[in-house]
Amino acid sequence: MKKSVSFLFAFCTLLMTAAQFTPNYDEHKVPDFQLPDPLTTFRGEKITSSKKWIEKRRPELLKFFGNQVYGQVPDKLDSISFALIEQHGVALNGGAIRKQVEVTLSNNKKHLRFHMLIYLPKDIPKAPLFLGYNFHGNHTITADPKVIITKAWNINNDELGITENIATESSRGKLANRWALEKIIKSGFGLATIFYGEIDPDKNDFTDGIHSLFYTNDQARPDSDQWGSIAAWAFGLSRAMDYLVEDPQIGKVLVFGHSRLGKAALWAGATDDRFAAVISNNSGCGGAALSKRKYGETIGRINDFFPHWFCDNFKAFNENEEALPVDQHELLALIAPRPLYVASAVEDKWSDPTGEFLGAYYATPVYNLFGKEGITSKNSPEINKPIQHTVSYHLREGGHDVTAYDWEQYVRWAKKFLN
Ligand code: GCU
């Protein structure tokens, strides 16, 4: 088949699959499903103590999610280095310190660079800090004219004026409403952010981004149990953490993410216990929501539309959720006993708010083993009535987004539970 014909064929198949998929939004049509017990091993052994959880159950779950869902990172880097490329002691009208750090990852004589923008409250030694990816570049989260514009491949977005897959000055500050920067700083927290496309551009192409640094021989894409983009983004968060733990001005780090980047934050929190707390904002399918409910986005649909997000092994569960020996509550449980916040929005049905709530609810028994409190009622709380314990949850009014309301809850909770 000629290249253009085969491309047309692939495109039509994608359209047909898309057309065939009708999400279920009817609670009555949620199937009866058997949820795996986080406190019973794959071989049927009951887990009755935190010690047994850590020694037996946690490692086997981590391995399963690594091999069959997100994919494993193939190896360690040869080296990582940091360069402080810009800093200012009186940013944001004097209330904050700004730093811009370039991180260079090197492997097999190849290099990848990403840029972290950091704001810290002045006069707070070792400030706790929220770390989270942004969708279109560090310069989009604030109007601060000194923030460097990313040169990495960007998803086009008319509203932001990104048309040639490259960000320009026109998008500066355009997504500031998603980052309650002033509030975060005034509350005594720092904020660090990275453009996720600098780690791996969000397209079904494994020749660019971090993956290619790890290829052996003539490998052109990850093996079926190796990392997709979500695991790559999680890896990037850990490399950012390599810097943050060395910076004497920075204290504990909470990893945060919205939507696909919430999925990445959860996997980062599960794989790297240097993250002191984890926040999942509207992370949905492959994030906090239970897959076996098949409500809103499903495994088959996410793998069709985003074939590069998970490892290839995960495709075995397309329209086959019953066969999955785990579910996402067990991903959440991997974060125990560290504080975990799952947040939903009532109109964001695609992400299955009830499934996200139940994810947190069914992760709670693992937290209880450590003497930590989680979600005790199986009924989702009312809109805008957060439940805040070590495991927290809120259902906000409105749609798929990160709002000032969300940040207000995260800051309030972090002050109480980040110990
Ligand atoms: C799509 C995708 C979701 C994802 C979301 C986002 O809607 O289907 O899984 O969470 O994009 O990242 O905004």
Side-chain angles (χ1 to χ4, degrees):
M1 227 187 311
K2 271 211 193 123
K3 214 174 177 189
S4 57
V5 179
S6 75
F7 173 77
L8 196 68
F9 178 75
F11 185 68
C12 291
T13 318
L14 187 72
L15 279 185
M16 272 158 58
T17 326
Q20 275 161 14
F21 181 78
T22 315
N24 172 41
Y25 291 136
D26 181 350
E27 201 57 45
H28 296 106
K29 291 194 183 141
V30 168
D32 274 337
F33 58 89
Q34 197 67 36
L35 211 57
D37 177 6
L39 296 180
T40 305
T41 66
F42 291 135
R43 299 181 66 176
E45 189 182 339
K46 294 275 174 219
I47 298 296
T48 49
S49 67
S50 55
K51 187 168 180 285
K52 270 193 156 186
W53 163 262
I54 291 166
E55 285 172 4
K56 288 202 163 163
R57 183 63 167 148
R58 189 177 188 282
E60 69 171 17
L61 282 171
L62 194 61
K63 193 167 162 198
F64 187 91
F65 279 102
N67 288 339
Q68 308 293 330
V69 182
Y70 301 100
Q72 302 283 9
V73 180
D75 204 351
K76 289 213 160 55
L77 287 168
D78 290 338
S79 69
I80 177 166
S81 62
F82 312 110
L84 182 61
I85 54 174
E86 193 271 345
Q87 71 174 323
H88 188 46
V90 281
L92 304 180
N93 301 320
I97 297 164
R98 181 186 63 235
K99 299 188 190 194
Q100 298 187 71
V101 176
E102 184 176 79
V103 181
T104 304
L105 311 180
S106 304
N107 212 41
N108 293 328
K109 303 201 173 64
K110 292 186 207 151
H111 311 281
L112 180 133
R113 291 190 177 81
F114 69 86
H115 300 87
M116 180 160 36
L117 168 67
I118 304 171
Y119 287 105
L120 296 171
K122 273 178 84 86
D123 309 323
I124 298 195
K126 282 206 157 294
L129 167 142
F130 294 96
L131 166 68
Y133 279 121
N134 60 73
F135 279 82
H136 289 282
N138 296 347
H139 67 291
T140 62
I141 77 131
T142 167
D144 183 342
K146 295 287 187 204
V147 178
I148 299 161
I149 299 181
T150 180
K151 296 188 179 75
W153 186 93
N154 217 306
I155 294 184
N156 284 340
N157 182 311
D158 288 345
E159 274 170 46
L160 302 181
I162 302 175
T163 51
E164 307 282 328
N165 297 115
I166 277 290
T168 61
E169 196 58 48
S170 73
S171 43
R172 186 177 298 281
K174 288 273 172 64
L175 292 171
N177 58 332
R178 282 195 166 176
W179 302 85
L181 183 52
E182 307 271 326
K183 157 125 196 133
I184 290 171
I185 297 292
K186 280 207 181 101
S187 309
F189 290 84
L191 176 70
T193 188
I194 303 158
F195 171 46
Y196 81 132
E198 290 196 353
I199 306 293
D200 185 31
D202 193 356
K203 50 184 162 138
N204 186 18
D205 174 349
F206 284 106
T207 60
D208 53 11
I210 187 69
H211 298 91
S212 63
L213 269 67
F214 289 86
Y215 291 153
T216 49
N217 305 321
D218 54 358
Q219 194 178 2
R221 54 172 294 122
D223 293 343
S224 54
D225 64 346
Q226 289 182 340
W227 50 349
S229 293
I230 293 174
W233 298 323
F235 174 86
L237 290 168
S238 284
R239 302 296 66 82
M241 192 64 182
D242 294 343
Y243 168 81
L244 296 169
V245 292
E246 296 291 330
D247 186 328
Q249 289 180 301
I250 295 167
K252 296 200 167 161
V253 175
L254 304 96
V255 65
F256 155 87
H258 170 59
S259 207
R260 67 196 68 183
L261 302 178
K263 308 181 210 293
L266 287 170
W267 185 233
T271 49
D272 189 340
D273 64 9
R274 295 175 301 169
F275 292 115
V278 183
I279 301 169
S280 146
N281 193 89
N282 309 176
S283 63
C285 180
L290 296 178
S291 301
K292 289 177 191 283
R293 279 172 48 81
K294 302 190 206 176
Y295 184 105
E297 190 173 28
T298 61
I299 295 178
R301 160 71 198 219
I302 205 168
N303 280 333
D304 271 352
F305 260 67
F306 306 100
H308 57 296
W309 280 6
F310 298 86
C311 70
D312 280 347
N313 282 345
F314 194 44
K315 299 189 171 103
F317 301 101
N318 288 358
E319 284 82 50
N320 189 22
E321 284 83 352
E322 307 72 36
L324 245 191
V326 298
D327 209 330
Q328 297 304 111
H329 61 308
E330 291 169 316
L331 169 73
L332 302 183
L334 291 174
I335 294 158
R338 290 164 291 150
L340 164 71
Y341 203 125
V342 174
S344 307
V346 72
E347 287 163 22
D348 181 23
K349 295 199 168 138
W350 182 243
S351 302
D352 185 11
T354 304
E356 294 178 317
F357 168 76
L358 290 174
Y361 171 76
Y362 285 112
T364 290
V366 178
Y367 277 82
N368 295 158
L369 275 190
F370 290 88
K372 302 282 182 191
E373 205 176 340
I375 309 293
T376 46
S377 163
K378 209 178 160 183
N379 301 319
S380 185
E382 283 171 43
I383 297 171
N384 297 349
K385 293 260 162 61
I387 305 174
Q388 295 202 343
H389 298 299
T390 301
V391 182
S392 295
Y393 177 83
H394 73 240
L395 176 65
R396 165 178 57 70
E397 65 187 17
H400 190 68
D401 202 355
V402 195
T403 68
Y405 177 88
D406 294 319
W407 279 111
E408 239 168 72
Q409 312 319 312
Y410 301 149
V411 166
R412 186 158 63 91
W413 167 76
K415 280 189 173 164
K416 208 162 157 195
F417 289 96
L418 196 67
N419 37 42

